[in-house]
Amino acid sequence: MITATVAVSGLIALVWIFVQFRAVLQFRRITWSVDLAPAGPDGLPSLSVVIPACNEEEHLEEALGSILAQSYPGLQIILVNDRSTDGTPAIMRRIASADSRIEVLDIDTLPRGWLGKVHALHQGLKSATGELVLFTDADVHFAPGFLAKAAAYLSARDLDHLAVGPEARTARFWQEAANNYFGGVFYLGLNIADLETPGSDAFVGVGAFNLFRRQALDRTPGLEWLRMEILDDVGLGYMLKRAGARSGFLLGFNELWLDWYPSVRGMIQGLEKNIFGGTCRFSYLRLALLTLFSLAILLGPVVALLQPVMLWPRLLAIAAAAACAYAAFHFRRRTGRRWWPMFLAPAAGLILLYTVIRSGWKCRQRGGIQWRGTFYPVEELRAGQRVRVF
């Protein structure tokens, strides 16, 4: 039994070697926005930016300022106040009074059968007049000229949908490691590098930046189809791909960023609403299987390294650590960020596993999830779930 366990741990270390090199190859295939030439204002399609916000007074003004600073012709900005109880509505109106490009919509009540954010996007979309529409969040910052660059890239590639992965900024070590692990699982799990490959069924969506042609969305069932989808951003990409849309992806490091969560504790609490449903589809059997699988994957190389029985699993564990270091240094060269949080990202995977388990436990206790001040029963969430990520 011990020998078999050690042998399996060695094979898991071999899997880690493969995953790290695959990650490097995948990231090399993904286009980075910083590598694209700046775009001029001529020939750009009209653009409507829809920003839903619920109690975002801390981030809204600074983030919105980065959009207002964009030199994009024909820009329309729709701010949707989704039942905020803080100073968000007052900030929206103050800024809108000084800029004619901004329209403010207020939502006071939420119809039954809708998630708050999806409903806010749906209402904002009704007022959008642009050929292109961007769904983004109230805490996302844009580098000067980024909107023009993204729209020009979408047009040049003849895409219907463009998602951009933002840089999640934090000064905390384990928060950065957890961000890296989450991002790696997200990008590899959705096979983003093959998104534009003919015949590929890969799809993606990012809440920070989902840009699409209005005509492409009109060929889909619309946001009503996603009204109870907790992964609404990924769901948008999935819905567009099902309707035949051509999707693309950029990494927006240094040009698109947000403070994803201020701390590990904040991340655990913030992901409570959707990480269980997103990874396990509200199934406790899947949660149990995911827990066992994740523990084996995350701890296997450690067991292989520390066991005193067999030599080859230890050698594979050392090679796995070297592969992680190689991937971390490659990531550091590309982004300029610290390599240690990337190297220890697998350890941070335990933090995210705990987050999934906690989310599942809270969902079981409550019989559903609490999100933006509204309770959603698990039965309704299961019935309305469209995305099957894992």
Side-chain angles (χ1 to χ4, degrees):
M1 182 65 179
I2 295 177
T3 302
T5 301
V6 171
V8 170
S9 68
L11 294 176
I12 292 173
L14 183 62
V15 170
W16 269 106
I17 297 171
F18 170 77
V19 168
Q20 295 303 314
F21 281 100
R22 181 171 178 264
V24 171
L25 292 175
Q26 291 276 51
F27 277 113
R28 285 178 176 173
R29 292 175 58 197
I30 294 174
T31 303
W32 296 61
S33 67
V34 293
D35 296 333
L36 302 177
D42 297 335
L44 292 176
S46 57
L47 172 63
S48 297
V49 180
V50 179
I51 308 174
C54 178
N55 296 336
E56 292 284 357
E57 65 178 3
E58 181 180 355
H59 305 286
L60 177 62
E61 186 161 6
E62 184 179 354
L64 182 57
S66 70
I67 297 180
L68 295 175
Q70 302 287 311
S71 56
Y72 195 104
L75 180 64
Q76 177 193 26
I77 301 170
I78 303 169
L79 304 179
V80 186
N81 166 38
D82 181 20
R83 300 163 295 145
S84 296
T85 57
D86 65 356
T88 297
I91 294 172
M92 287 181 173
R93 287 182 171 77
R94 174 169 52 80
I95 298 176
S97 65
D99 198 310
S100 60
R101 295 173 296 177
I102 300 176
E103 178 180 350
V104 178
L105 302 179
D106 288 301
I107 295 177
D108 299 318
T109 59
L110 177 66
R112 184 172 178 81
W114 284 84
L115 290 173
K117 182 180 178 182
V118 184
H119 179 254
L121 290 171
H122 180 61
Q123 296 303 313
L125 186 64
K126 291 179 180 180
S127 297
T129 60
E131 179 184 341
L132 300 182
V133 179
L134 171 65
F135 287 168
T136 187
D137 293 328
D139 58 350
V140 178
H141 297 73
F142 299 76
F146 186 76
L147 287 181
K149 180 185 285 190
Y153 180 82
L154 180 142
S155 298
R157 302 286 294 180
D158 194 26
L159 300 175
D160 299 301
H161 169 231
L162 176 66
V164 182
E167 178 182 357
R169 294 184 174 179
T170 179
R172 299 174 183 269
F173 179 88
W174 284 110
Q175 173 66 7
E176 186 175 344
N179 290 349
N180 290 334
Y181 185 83
F182 182 91
V185 171
F186 181 81
Y187 295 135
L188 291 176
L190 292 179
N191 200 23
I192 289 175
D194 289 333
L195 194 62
E196 294 188 50
T197 302
S200 171
D201 58 358
F203 61 90
V204 70
V206 179
F209 197 100
N210 263 332
L211 178 68
F212 55 90
R213 296 184 189 273
R214 183 61 181 267
Q215 287 184 343
L217 187 71
D218 290 341
R219 296 193 295 268
T220 73
L223 293 185
E224 295 94 336
W225 192 68
L226 299 172
R227 61 185 179 272
M228 288 296 288
E229 174 54 64
I230 58 168
L231 298 180
D232 58 275
D233 50 357
V234 181
L236 178 66
Y238 174 60
M239 183 175 68
L240 287 165
K241 196 66 178 285
R242 286 177 75 249
R246 297 189 68 245
S247 294
F249 182 82
L250 293 173
L251 271 177
F253 279 65
N254 297 321
E255 295 194 321
L256 184 75
W257 68 93
L258 72 156
D259 296 322
W260 192 40
Y261 290 105
S263 65
V264 171
R265 182 178 181 182
M267 180 192 72
I268 292 172
Q269 294 174 341
L271 291 177
E272 178 184 302
K273 62 187 181 295
N274 59 4
I275 195 169
F276 169 56
T279 57
C280 302
R281 305 180 205 169
F282 298 103
S283 165
Y284 298 100
L285 175 59
R286 285 193 176 93
L287 176 60
L289 294 175
L290 176 67
T291 300
L292 293 175
F293 177 78
S294 298
L295 288 174
I297 292 295
L298 294 171
L299 299 180
V302 178
V303 173
L305 180 65
L306 299 180
Q307 56 79 31
V309 179
M310 301 169 68
L311 177 60
W312 67 266
R314 285 203 301 275
L315 295 177
L316 284 176
I318 294 171
C324 288
Y326 168 73
F329 274 107
H330 175 81
F331 185 77
R332 180 184 183 277
R333 285 198 305 270
R334 199 67 178 84
T335 64
R337 295 168 66 175
R338 299 179 294 179
W339 75 276
W340 269 102
M342 182 66 182
F343 176 70
L344 292 176
L350 293 172
I351 299 174
L352 285 173
L353 176 59
Y354 167 76
T355 305
V356 177
I357 295 171
R358 180 180 180 274
S359 174
W361 175 250
K362 292 286 188 179
C363 183
R364 184 174 181 82
Q365 279 185 317
R366 298 168 178 163
I369 65 172
Q370 193 79 22
W371 193 0
R372 291 192 176 199
T374 302
F375 177 77
Y376 302 96
V378 69
E379 294 81 9
E380 293 184 17
L381 294 167
R382 284 182 182 142
Q385 193 166 24
R386 307 298 189 185
V387 178
R388 303 291 186 265
V389 176
F390 301 107

